[in-house]
């Protein structure tokens, strides 16, 4: 399951295959494959793997959570309601299935629906820190810095040892000191210092790219796109996953583009 969540789909499949060596009908193998499929937005495969699990274990919380995500991604309101009703009936005090649903929907940038299910998880168990962490990260990715700040403060209060929450809250507070420049279609933010040279050189090119892309797609974003320049790899990684170690240098979460400012010639 960790492999599926970190996009190591081959590793996830290897784990499922090993489980089936123990038991050809091992339900955990199906759950690993279903989660891996949903990370890849393959709803048909996910439903195929979930069907036998739900037939044997109709109240399995992980299977119900994944079936809820599959229904959300396919806009199946009937199945969505069935899964959520089963979760409420079989585990009325358990926030984990709703947190799983919110996390996976956030991964696919379904921010409004992720917000709904993560809020439901918090309502079920107000001091359940993982729901606060996932919701805070989702709000930050959606460009809601104020909401993310408030949610992460709750998360740190409920679980002071959660590194993702503590790292994210620290960076959110640091972002308040960043310089900001607005153009007709962008909000550019950067850490005070040498990155200003790059930041001041970006607007003309960004606006030209905006016009070219809008002209090609025939669609204009409703809000300005925020572009954040981070001074080092550690801060960038915290911005993306809450931990200071991720092997990439730029990421787009929809309304926000975060990137590590280049400081050395390649």
């Amino acid at each position: 399951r960790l492999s599926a969540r970190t996009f190591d789909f081959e590793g996830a499949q290897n784990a499922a295959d090993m489980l089936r060596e123990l038991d050809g009908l091992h339900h955990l193998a199906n759950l690993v494959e279903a989660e891996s499929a949903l990370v890849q937005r393959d709803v048909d495969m996910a439903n195929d793997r979930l069907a036998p699990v739900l037939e044997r274990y109709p109240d399995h919380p992980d299977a119900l959570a994944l079936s809820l995500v599959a229904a959300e991604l396919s806009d199946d309101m009937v199945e969505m309601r069935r899964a959520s009703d089963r979760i409420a009936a079989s585990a009325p005090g358990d926030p984990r299935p709703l947190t799983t649903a919110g996390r996976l929907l956030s991964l696919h940038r379904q921010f409004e629906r992720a917000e709904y299910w993560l809020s439901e998880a918090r309502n079920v168990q107000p001091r359940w820190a993982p729901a606060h962490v996932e919701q805070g990260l989702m709000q930050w990715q959606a460009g809601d810095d104020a909401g993310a700040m408030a949610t992460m403060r709750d998360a740190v209060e409920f679980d002071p040892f959660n590194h993702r929450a503590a790292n994210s809250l620290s960076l959110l507070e640091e972002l308040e000191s960043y310089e900001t420049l607005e153009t007709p279609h962008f909000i550019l933010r950067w850490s005070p210092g040498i990155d200003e040279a790059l930041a001041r050189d970006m607007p003309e090119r960004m606006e030209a790219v905006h016009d070219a892309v809008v002209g090609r797609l025939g669609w204009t974003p409703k809000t300005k796109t925020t572009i954040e320049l981070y001074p080092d790899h550690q801060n960038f990684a915290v911005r993306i996953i809450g931990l200071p170690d991720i092997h990439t240098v730029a990421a787009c979460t929809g309304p926000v583009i975060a990137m590590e400012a280049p400081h050395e010639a390649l």
Side-chain angles (χ1 to χ4, degrees):
R1 295 173 73 181
L2 181 60
S3 294
R5 294 174 189 181
T6 55
F7 308 102
D8 177 12
F9 304 121
E10 182 178 353
Q13 189 59 57
N14 288 340
D17 292 342
M18 293 178 69
L19 285 166
R20 288 203 177 91
E21 290 182 8
L22 300 174
D23 180 352
L25 299 176
H26 207 308
H27 71 286
L28 293 181
N30 284 45
L31 290 177
V32 168
E33 290 176 335
E35 183 159 351
S36 181
L38 287 174
V39 171
Q40 300 173 77
R41 208 183 178 109
D42 188 340
V43 174
D44 290 338
M45 177 175 284
N47 284 328
D48 180 71
R49 297 299 187 270
L50 289 170
V53 179
L54 289 169
E55 183 177 352
R56 294 173 65 190
Y57 309 110
D59 292 328
H60 196 294
D62 292 334
L64 289 172
L66 296 178
S67 67
L68 176 58
V69 174
E72 284 276 8
L73 292 177
S74 57
D75 292 323
D76 187 338
M77 296 298 296
V78 173
E79 184 58 29
M80 193 188 311
R81 176 55 57 190
R82 190 202 70 81
S84 62
D85 286 349
R86 292 294 298 179
I87 290 171
S90 62
D94 189 354
R96 292 174 296 178
L98 304 178
T99 303
T100 295
R103 172 178 59 81
L104 286 169
L105 290 170
S106 177
L107 175 68
H108 291 295
R109 313 307 180 208
Q110 304 296 306
F111 293 133
E112 289 186 8
R113 298 305 297 167
E115 177 86 22
Y116 175 80
W117 292 115
L118 290 169
S119 295
E120 287 294 294
R122 293 173 60 179
N123 290 336
V124 167
Q125 197 64 259
R127 298 184 68 86
W128 172 246
H132 290 76
V133 175
E134 294 297 341
Q135 188 169 28
L137 289 172
M138 180 274 299
Q139 291 167 330
W140 199 5
Q141 291 169 4
D144 180 8
D145 290 5
M149 180 89 76
T151 303
M152 282 303 184
R153 282 177 175 157
D154 287 341
V156 171
E157 177 186 350
F158 299 147
D159 184 0
F161 302 102
N162 190 301
H163 292 296
R164 296 176 76 202
N167 292 339
S168 297
L169 179 58
S170 177
L171 185 55
L172 276 162
E173 292 172 341
E174 182 181 323
L175 277 173
E176 294 186 323
S177 69
Y178 274 34
E179 302 286 347
T180 301
L181 173 66
E182 289 200 38
T183 75
H185 300 104
F186 296 93
I187 299 172
L188 181 60
R189 307 169 73 183
W190 69 91
S191 176
I194 63 172
D195 293 340
E196 182 173 358
L198 172 62
R200 296 290 181 183
D201 198 40
M202 291 174 64
E204 182 178 354
R205 178 59 178 158
M206 291 191 312
E207 288 295 334
V209 170
H210 173 275
D211 293 343
V213 172
V214 166
R216 178 175 296 180
L217 298 180
W219 176 84
T220 302
K222 296 179 180 179
T223 61
K224 292 184 178 183
T225 300
T226 298
I227 298 182
E228 298 174 347
L229 292 175
Y230 288 91
D232 54 51
H233 196 67
Q234 288 72 29
N235 278 329
F236 167 77
V238 169
R239 175 62 176 91
I240 302 305
I241 62 169
L243 297 171
D245 184 21
I246 181 174
H247 301 291
T248 185
V249 294
C252 177
T253 62
V256 179
I257 298 172
M259 62 182 290
E260 178 184 348
H263 291 156
E264 298 179 7
L266 297 179

